[in-house]
Amino acid sequence: MAAVYKSTAFVGVFVFTFVTLCLFPLPVAGITRYYKFDIKLQNVARLCHAKSIVTVSGQFPGPCVMVREGNHLSVKVVNHVPNKITIHWHGVRQLRTGWADGTAYVTQCPIQKGQSYVYKFRIVGQRGTLFWHAHISWLRATVYGPLIILPRLGVPYPFPKPYKEVPIILDTEAIISQALQTGGGPNVSDAYTINGHPGPFYNCSAKDTFKLKVKLGKTYLLRLINAALNDQLFFGIANHTLTVVEADAVYVKPFETEAILLASGQTTNVLLKTKPTYPNASFFMAARPYVTGSATFNNSTVAGILENKLSPNSLPSSISVKNLSPFKPNLPALSNTSFVANFANKLRGLATVHSPASVPQNVDKQFLFTVGLGTSQCWQNRTCQGPNGTKFAAAVNNVSFTMPTTALLQAHFFGKSHGVYKTDFPREPKIRFDYTGTPPDNTMVNNGTKLLVLPFNTNVELIMQDTSILGAESHPLHLHGYNFFVVGQGFGNFDPQKNPNNFNLIDPVERNTVGVPAGGWIVIRFVADNPGVWFMHCHIDAHQSWGLKMAWIVLDGDLPNQKLSPPADDLPMC
């Protein structure tokens, strides 16, 4: 396996990036938007070091893709680097176009050096903020960018029109080889950054502080994206209240908060109303991690500066930024799980005629998935850095997913699944135990490429239960090809007799990525109305690499518009 970078000078540097506005003509509804992604190496410098990273067309972050609801997208990806590559359109439902989902060895084989592939799909019934990223190895550390879906022409936002819109991406950098070759965890980051700028609290970065200049009394729409490899992050702006209006490209009932939590893979739109009068003042915008596991982590807080355009001298050059004490946001404590739970409970769907909450009221199939960490045997004649010389592993229902060498969708579509995968993924844990209490003595996981088959239009209820094996931890789970409704969540073990009485079946939030609470459970519902093979995995890349992932097969329906479309001629084959 090729390493992500040529050197390890920047192992684990975390990037919290503000992206400039998408400077493209506003797209018209019903057209095809064309883009070309050239995957190439680019030299960048961070924290007094330089390295070569994989980028899209030399840009880091990559280009902004802007479409309207109803648009078609055609993105030609040309690979110029030794690394294999795929591009995943995170959160796009890909109705009957699973071949364009961009998941290596699930919906396609990767694009090799010198090869190209054109992703073609249509945006149907979605509007808001999503993002795209590489979906192989840990290349999404540098290969990512915003995907902005505007409403159809003439359709307004269900909130006041903002003065400007600013996409914001949170990201991380790490080296996959270190974690996989030792059986341990990934390296701790050296720093967080805002827009690639480490800011005033890190060495070699006194002059490298990001500033967002705004006008007094204006409303800005901040499109926040957490593309971080291994981190959930709190974000806030000093002396400013954020109004949450959207989550995972679905409108929500607006509510105000001083800080927000973004799990890895989640997106959130917030309205920021700047102060009408506040001369010569600057405000820190800051981010720091939400930590639930027992692994080591970066305990620092990154700061950028929000400043008024009418006060350009708010930070005189004669004053050291490092010695200033400007207004600072009150971010939650690193392990403030109660804030996270309360924030999640405030998220409610609009549940209006134009934005309905079409949550399934009846359930055809119910599943219970335990999600958590475990161990597996170290390689022969070696000692690994996991517990008692083992390798760290992760599993769903104690099955640690083994990635195939043939794309699962390819094998399914052409009827050649033998030797590629089995369809015996367990619907519930084979061994029941006190999931959030004292863990069992045996923490070894099973390995396999096992899938679950769903008939078309099945109403699914999925209970995801965290376990205390190797420590309770919050896991952001992402389901490809679908949105789902979060109908319930809580702490401890799920009680099938009591907890369903409190399910929200009226206005639950609709998401594509959700955090399973540390030491708790979450229940989602969705309708399996999109045929294909769809990946579901923890969006913490370390956990995904250790096997916390699985896949669903959703069968074709009876009508032509209920069947998976055939693959394009240029689809990379294994």
Side-chain angles (χ1 to χ4, degrees):
M1 181 185 299
V4 174
Y5 307 124
K6 287 187 175 180
S7 70
T8 59
F10 271 81
V11 172
V13 176
F14 285 71
V15 181
F16 175 46
T17 305
F18 274 70
V19 182
T20 56
L21 290 172
C22 299
L23 301 177
F24 297 100
L26 293 182
V28 178
I31 67 170
T32 298
R33 300 281 291 175
Y34 293 91
Y35 293 85
K36 183 181 179 184
F37 284 8
D38 285 298
I39 309 300
K40 57 177 61 176
L41 294 173
Q42 179 72 28
N43 291 323
V44 299
R46 297 284 191 282
L47 300 175
C48 302
H49 297 285
K51 66 176 178 180
S52 181
I53 64 172
V54 180
T55 68
V56 171
S57 304
Q59 299 181 45
F60 174 62
C64 175
V65 174
M66 179 179 282
V67 298
R68 284 196 183 275
E69 181 185 352
N71 283 169
H72 294 261
L73 263 177
S74 177
V75 184
K76 183 175 183 178
V77 177
V78 184
N79 189 9
H80 303 279
V81 301
N83 308 78
K84 302 173 185 178
I85 192 74
T86 66
I87 300 294
H88 170 52
W89 312 93
H90 184 109
V92 174
R93 287 210 58 197
Q94 297 291 358
L95 294 173
R96 301 176 55 235
T97 54
W99 307 103
D101 191 53
T103 315
Y105 300 109
V106 176
T107 59
Q108 70 168 96
C109 296
I111 305 167
Q112 308 283 338
K113 181 179 181 180
Q115 290 184 343
S116 65
Y117 176 49
V118 180
Y119 292 92
K120 295 180 180 179
F121 54 94
R122 186 182 179 214
I123 304 295
V124 180
Q126 293 183 278
R127 81 290 303 160
T129 303
L130 297 173
F131 69 116
W132 57 264
H133 60 78
H135 209 299
I136 185 170
S137 186
W138 286 10
L139 278 178
R140 74 179 179 92
T142 59
V143 180
Y144 66 88
L147 171 57
I148 308 302
I149 306 172
L150 300 175
R152 293 180 182 273
L153 282 173
V155 178
Y157 295 134
F159 46 80
K161 183 179 180 180
Y163 173 69
K164 281 188 178 180
E165 302 180 14
V166 184
I168 299 173
I169 299 185
L170 297 75
D171 183 44
T172 65
E173 297 180 16
I175 295 294
I176 188 171
S177 56
Q178 178 269 339
L180 296 186
Q181 290 176 6
T182 64
N187 287 348
V188 176
S189 66
D190 295 326
Y192 296 88
T193 69
I194 296 179
N195 201 22
H197 302 283
F201 304 132
Y202 297 108
N203 292 331
C204 295
S205 304
K207 297 181 179 180
D208 200 2
T209 300
F210 175 76
K211 297 179 183 180
L212 177 61
K213 296 185 178 182
V214 297
K215 289 187 176 181
L216 290 176
K218 297 292 185 181
T219 298
Y220 291 79
L221 180 67
L222 305 184
R223 298 178 175 271
L224 294 104
I225 303 166
N226 186 359
L229 286 181
N230 296 307
D231 289 271
Q232 306 186 65
L233 294 167
F234 295 117
F235 172 80
I237 300 176
N239 284 33
H240 288 76
T241 299
L242 304 174
T243 302
V244 177
V245 294
E246 179 200 300
D248 286 0
V250 181
Y251 298 135
V252 299
K253 289 182 171 69
F255 66 91
E256 294 184 348
T257 181
E258 291 187 358
I260 72 164
L261 183 280
L262 282 159
S264 177
Q266 288 184 336
T267 62
T268 302
N269 282 3
V270 299
L271 295 176
L272 167 69
K273 181 70 177 291
T274 61
K275 299 294 181 181
T277 55
Y278 232 104
N280 300 318
S282 295
F283 307 89
F284 273 145
M285 59 185 73
R288 70 179 176 198
Y290 166 52
V291 181
T292 58
S294 57
T296 55
F297 61 94
N298 186 326
N299 192 19
S300 65
T301 300
V302 63
I305 294 174
L306 181 78
E307 65 178 23
N308 190 324
K309 280 189 176 181
L310 297 180
S311 44
N313 297 320
S314 57
L315 279 179
S317 57
S318 60
I319 298 178
S320 170
V321 176
K322 204 165 188 176
N323 295 327
L324 282 178
S325 296
F327 300 104
K328 195 172 183 179
N330 184 25
L331 292 178
L334 295 171
S335 58
N336 194 337
T337 294
S338 61
F339 172 90
V340 174
N342 290 333
F343 181 81
N345 287 329
K346 292 178 182 178
L347 292 166
R348 291 282 191 266
L350 277 185
T352 63
V353 173
H354 299 292
S355 298
S358 303
V359 57
Q361 298 297 305
N362 301 305
V363 174
D364 299 320
K365 290 183 181 293
Q366 184 189 69
F367 303 92
L368 171 61
F369 288 180
T370 55
V371 295
L373 304 183
T375 59
S376 61
Q377 294 290 349
C378 189
W379 299 280
Q380 190 174 6
N381 299 323
R382 288 183 58 181
T383 299
C384 289
Q385 294 181 358
N388 301 317
T390 63
K391 290 190 297 183
F392 275 114
V396 181
N397 279 351
N398 206 46
V399 177
S400 187
F401 193 84
T402 302
M403 291 301 294
T405 56
T406 298
L408 298 173
L409 183 59
Q410 174 185 328
H412 165 66
F413 185 82
F414 292 106
K416 298 181 179 180
S417 62
H418 181 71
V420 179
Y421 65 83
K422 295 181 179 180
T423 57
D424 59 348
F425 188 90
R427 295 182 52 163
E428 59 185 23
K430 289 188 175 181
I431 300 176
R432 293 182 175 268
F433 58 97
D434 183 359
Y435 304 121
T436 56
T438 302
D441 293 334
N442 184 4
T443 62
M444 290 290 177
V445 301
N446 297 315
N447 298 286
T449 308
K450 299 175 181 290
L451 282 67
L452 261 173
V453 179
L454 293 173
F456 185 80
N457 255 1
T458 301
N459 287 346
V460 177
E461 180 175 276
L462 172 59
I463 304 157
M464 291 184 284
Q465 172 73 59
D466 183 39
T467 74
S468 58
I469 298 175
L470 301 188
E473 187 166 353
S474 176
H475 298 280
L477 268 292
H478 173 50
L479 175 60
H480 290 226
Y482 286 89
N483 281 352
F484 50 76
F485 294 96
V486 182
V487 299
Q489 58 186 315
F491 293 104
N493 296 330
F494 177 77
D495 187 328
Q497 302 302 319
K498 297 180 180 179
N499 293 136
N501 295 328
N502 296 318
F503 283 178
N504 177 9
L505 303 179
I506 299 173
D507 61 349
V509 67
E510 186 177 348
R511 310 210 69 146
N512 63 63
T513 305
V514 70
V516 179
W521 52 269
I522 200 159
V523 180
I524 67 173
R525 288 187 181 185
F526 64 96
V527 181
D529 58 357
N530 191 13
V533 178
W534 303 108
F535 208 31
M536 192 177 81
H537 60 90
C538 184
H539 221 267
I540 294 177
D541 272 29
H543 297 173
Q544 183 187 164
S545 298
W546 293 338
L548 211 167
K549 48 197 175 186
M550 57 84 64
W552 307 81
I553 297 176
V554 178
L555 301 176
D556 284 345
D558 296 327
L559 302 178
N561 65 350
Q562 298 174 345
K563 298 180 185 296
L564 176 67
S565 300
D569 293 338
D570 63 339
L571 180 74
M573 295 291 183
C574 297

